[in-house]
Amino acid sequence: MRGRSAITLPFSRIRLFLRFILGVLIVSLSITASLLSITLFLLRGRFSQPWSNLRDISITEKNAFSCKMHISSLLRPEESVVRNITSKSLIIVRSVLLLQDRRLYLKILFLKKCETNISDMQLQIDLKQILCPVVKHIESDNCPWDWAPGCAWSSFIATTRLDFLNFNSHTIGLHLEPSHNIENLPFAVCIQPLYWYIDWLQVIEFIEIWTSQGVNHFFFYFYTVSQLVMDILQYYEAKGTVTLLPWRSFPVGENENPNKDVYRLAHSLANNDCLWRSSGANFVAFVDLDEYILTTNNVPLITFLKGKAKLCPKCGSFAAVHTKMYYSSPRPRNNFRWHDVKFEWLANTSYGLPEIDGPYKQIVRPETVSIISTHSTRKNFPGYIDVNLNSSEIILLHASHKWSETNLPLNNVTIAPHFFADALSILNTTYREIGQLLFRNEIMRIDRMLQMKIAKCISQWYAKKCKSVDMCKGEMVNQMKWIYAENFSTNEYQLV
């Protein structure tokens, strides 16, 4: 840590993100006048005794997973590093220290094969103290996930509480480089990793519509996008509206390739990483780029959520029921004059009946949620509950390409001319500003045939029962000059 200055942060705003470096996470915390050095690394398969035979163990959901062990022979950090991926490997994506309810927690997001037994997983502190984390499959109690039973690799989270640290001071001096902390964040949106994504127009549409609902920051994870999509995201990044987060391919071994056997690039890990990054926000929405959550009475969503949270302080997350959305006219496709775009397809949108059994999407208060899955809160902090929003007040509009531009159903469709009325003016203004800056030609293009080709390729996952983005890599890689996450990040995942 030489050369890095000590940073003092207010106690209430501490949000620390730490990376494992070669299997070792080194944290130096200065608490009041004393300096405590902590070394954390994973131990696997080093003890002949099962957990049940080790004395002084206490592992429960309530006390956050600490255990006390007296082990005579402990590993040095360099012994814990595994460099070649195998079927038994853990791929650590991110590690973070979170201060919650005046307690310090270590949380680790990682990928592993469902069949791999990690009941012998421990964390070592200062080469002398052992902690036993609780490990949870993010999507469900079952691994593989019932929705994707063909995916051999899946997303997990390990959590432990660092009880040996005593916080009596209002400040903590940190001898490390802190992660970026965004101030004044009332409402944020998290976007799962984009892959083979080319619809630059929808990016503008999505950001401006959600901004009209009170959102002031977006976290975009990306794997592969077109050059123009990246240009537009960087335009918003320069304005401070977007944080861009490269989501790299997972490492490959001689006989193992997790990228072929994991659902949508392990998007569940990205969701939980985003939950941590947005921990300073009042509300965070987890949606896709073709989804909007709106009030039926045209009140801004942020206003509605503040009212709900005030009426129900223990409500930690709000779920919106799925509804199909239909455009009033076709969106631009293939070649078109960019000056002609007026977003008229949003002027008189329609929507169908709420689908109670359809996929829900969540808006959460991040300080109340411990683990988020794709369509629900996986685990709340004690005392907080989930709430299903009434579809007469809130609707989740899903404008999927499968139905949004098709002929309207004959029955049970509601026309809502007011839904996007407030957003259209600023949407058109921003679009023209972007056009003047970024569009080099009068004629622009959104390759509809390529979009359909990508969708058709990805749809093959139903046969394999695992929605692997990698299965289309060979077919897509030469379709255009893609921007890859690897172009922006050289950070390697940690193998254990």
Side-chain angles (χ1 to χ4, degrees):
M1 300 300 175
R2 184 178 299 173
R4 295 180 179 176
S5 59
I7 299 173
T8 300
L9 300 175
F11 180 84
S12 62
R13 294 184 178 179
I14 294 174
R15 297 292 187 271
L16 307 177
F17 291 88
L18 305 175
R19 296 182 181 277
F20 271 79
I21 302 174
L22 297 179
V24 183
L25 177 62
I26 301 177
V27 185
S28 296
L29 297 175
S30 176
I31 303 175
T32 60
S34 63
L35 182 66
L36 176 63
S37 176
I38 310 167
T39 302
L40 303 176
F41 62 98
L42 291 172
L43 307 177
R44 297 180 62 203
R46 295 289 297 184
F47 307 112
S48 58
Q49 297 172 295
W51 278 13
S52 58
N53 293 333
L54 293 170
R55 58 196 179 98
D56 297 329
I57 297 178
S58 174
I59 309 174
T60 68
E61 290 282 336
K62 184 177 180 180
N63 73 5
F65 341 123
S66 63
C67 66
K68 299 176 182 178
M69 301 182 183
H70 301 285
I71 307 296
S72 58
S73 177
L74 295 176
L75 287 176
R76 303 298 301 180
E78 59 271 18
E79 295 181 69
S80 70
V81 179
V82 178
R83 300 187 184 279
N84 297 316
I85 187 171
T86 70
S87 62
K88 298 185 182 300
S89 295
L90 308 187
I91 303 175
I92 298 175
V93 173
R94 191 165 179 83
S95 305
V96 61
L97 285 178
L98 291 177
L99 192 62
Q100 295 166 332
D101 194 26
R102 298 182 64 84
R103 295 181 183 275
L104 190 65
Y105 293 86
L106 170 66
K107 298 194 175 188
I108 305 169
L109 292 173
F110 65 95
L111 194 70
K112 80 170 187 71
K113 267 196 159 181
C114 291
E115 65 187 31
T116 301
N117 183 4
I118 54 170
S119 61
D120 59 352
M121 178 179 174
Q122 295 96 27
L123 292 165
Q124 183 172 316
I125 311 295
D126 275 343
L127 306 181
K128 58 186 178 182
Q129 185 169 356
I130 301 295
L131 296 178
C132 297
V134 162
V135 176
K136 200 172 186 70
H137 184 228
I138 290 177
E139 285 299 341
S140 67
D141 291 335
N142 300 321
C143 189
W145 183 21
D146 292 340
W147 176 248
C151 291
W153 290 75
S154 201
S155 304
F156 289 80
I157 183 170
T159 308
T160 191
R161 193 173 72 202
L162 306 184
D163 286 321
F164 56 90
L165 297 180
N166 180 23
F167 290 102
N168 294 318
S169 172
H170 290 289
T171 62
I172 297 177
L174 306 176
H175 297 280
L176 51 90
E177 184 177 351
S179 60
H180 181 55
N181 185 31
I182 301 174
E183 302 289 343
N184 301 319
L185 199 59
F187 196 0
V189 169
C190 293
I191 305 299
Q192 298 170 7
L194 300 178
Y195 52 89
W196 317 120
Y197 194 82
I198 65 173
D199 196 341
W200 53 269
L201 186 60
Q202 190 164 50
V203 173
I204 302 172
E205 189 176 314
F206 176 87
I207 291 176
E208 295 303 328
I209 288 174
W210 274 96
T211 299
S212 74
Q213 297 302 307
V215 170
N216 64 336
H217 202 80
F218 300 81
F219 294 88
F220 273 86
Y221 293 76
F222 70 93
Y223 171 68
T224 44
V225 297
S226 69
Q227 180 64 63
L228 190 49
V229 167
M230 178 54 64
D231 290 344
I232 288 169
L233 288 173
Q234 289 180 328
Y235 162 84
Y236 283 105
E237 183 184 39
K239 293 177 64 176
T241 305
V242 162
T243 294
L244 277 175
L245 298 159
W247 195 255
R248 295 165 53 90
S249 298
F250 295 109
V252 176
E254 184 176 348
N255 298 310
E256 285 292 336
N257 183 357
N259 302 287
K260 293 182 179 296
D261 288 303
V262 67
Y263 190 86
R264 280 179 61 175
L265 303 164
H267 70 289
S268 302
L269 298 180
N271 279 348
N272 283 273
D273 179 70
C274 195
L275 178 67
W276 299 342
R277 291 179 184 272
S278 60
S279 58
N282 295 330
F283 303 99
V284 183
F286 292 83
V287 291
D288 293 326
L289 276 178
D290 56 0
E291 294 176 328
Y292 306 99
I293 300 178
L294 303 175
T295 62
T296 56
N297 63 0
N298 214 31
V299 171
L301 184 57
I302 183 67
T303 303
F304 174 87
L305 292 171
K306 286 179 178 178
K308 284 292 184 184
K310 186 176 181 179
L311 290 173
C312 180
K314 292 300 182 181
C315 292
S317 64
F318 305 92
V321 65
H322 181 269
T323 305
K324 290 180 179 178
M325 171 178 158
Y326 304 92
Y327 295 123
S328 58
S329 60
R331 294 169 56 86
R333 61 183 68 179
N334 298 323
N335 297 330
F336 57 92
R337 295 179 71 252
W338 73 266
H339 281 289
D340 293 340
V341 172
K342 301 292 192 299
F343 298 93
E344 60 276 3
W345 57 91
L346 294 173
N348 288 287
T349 54
S350 306
Y351 62 95
L353 293 175
E355 300 175 4
I356 304 302
D357 296 328
Y360 285 69
K361 286 299 175 73
Q362 302 290 115
I363 300 174
V364 308
R365 295 166 58 199
E367 75 275 10
T368 73
V369 175
S370 177
I371 305 174
I372 187 86
S373 62
T374 304
H375 297 295
S376 64
T377 299
R378 183 79 168 100
K379 185 175 184 293
N380 289 311
F381 288 114
Y384 293 99
I385 61 173
D386 302 331
V387 176
N388 290 335
L389 296 172
N390 193 319
S391 59
S392 66
E393 297 179 302
I394 291 285
I395 54 175
L396 165 63
L397 297 174
H398 186 192
S400 170
H401 68 89
K402 298 176 183 177
W403 58 72
S404 60
E405 297 183 61
T406 60
N407 293 328
L408 291 176
L410 296 178
N411 300 312
N412 300 320
V413 172
T414 301
I415 298 176
H418 64 281
F419 269 164
F420 302 106
D422 292 340
L424 282 175
S425 176
I426 187 63
L427 177 54
N428 276 286
T429 299
T430 304
Y431 169 73
R432 274 151 183 75
E433 179 182 315
I434 291 173
Q436 295 290 344
L437 287 172
L438 300 179
F439 301 163
R440 297 180 178 88
N441 302 308
E442 176 70 18
I443 302 299
M444 297 300 293
R445 180 174 177 80
I446 298 175
D447 192 334
R448 185 68 166 183
M449 293 300 294
L450 179 56
Q451 284 182 305
M452 294 297 100
K453 189 174 184 178
I454 294 169
K456 182 179 179 180
C457 181
I458 295 295
S459 69
Q460 297 173 23
W461 81 272
Y462 290 105
K464 187 184 177 185
K465 301 187 183 304
C466 183
K467 196 172 187 177
S468 165
V469 174
D470 194 77
M471 68 183 180
C472 296
K473 188 173 183 178
E475 190 173 349
M476 294 300 128
V477 69
N478 293 321
Q479 293 293 326
M480 66 164 51
K481 186 178 180 181
W482 296 102
I483 304 299
Y484 291 89
E486 281 78 0
N487 299 142
F488 288 80
S489 172
T490 58
N491 293 329
E492 297 292 341
Y493 294 118
Q494 179 60 48
L495 300 183
V496 179

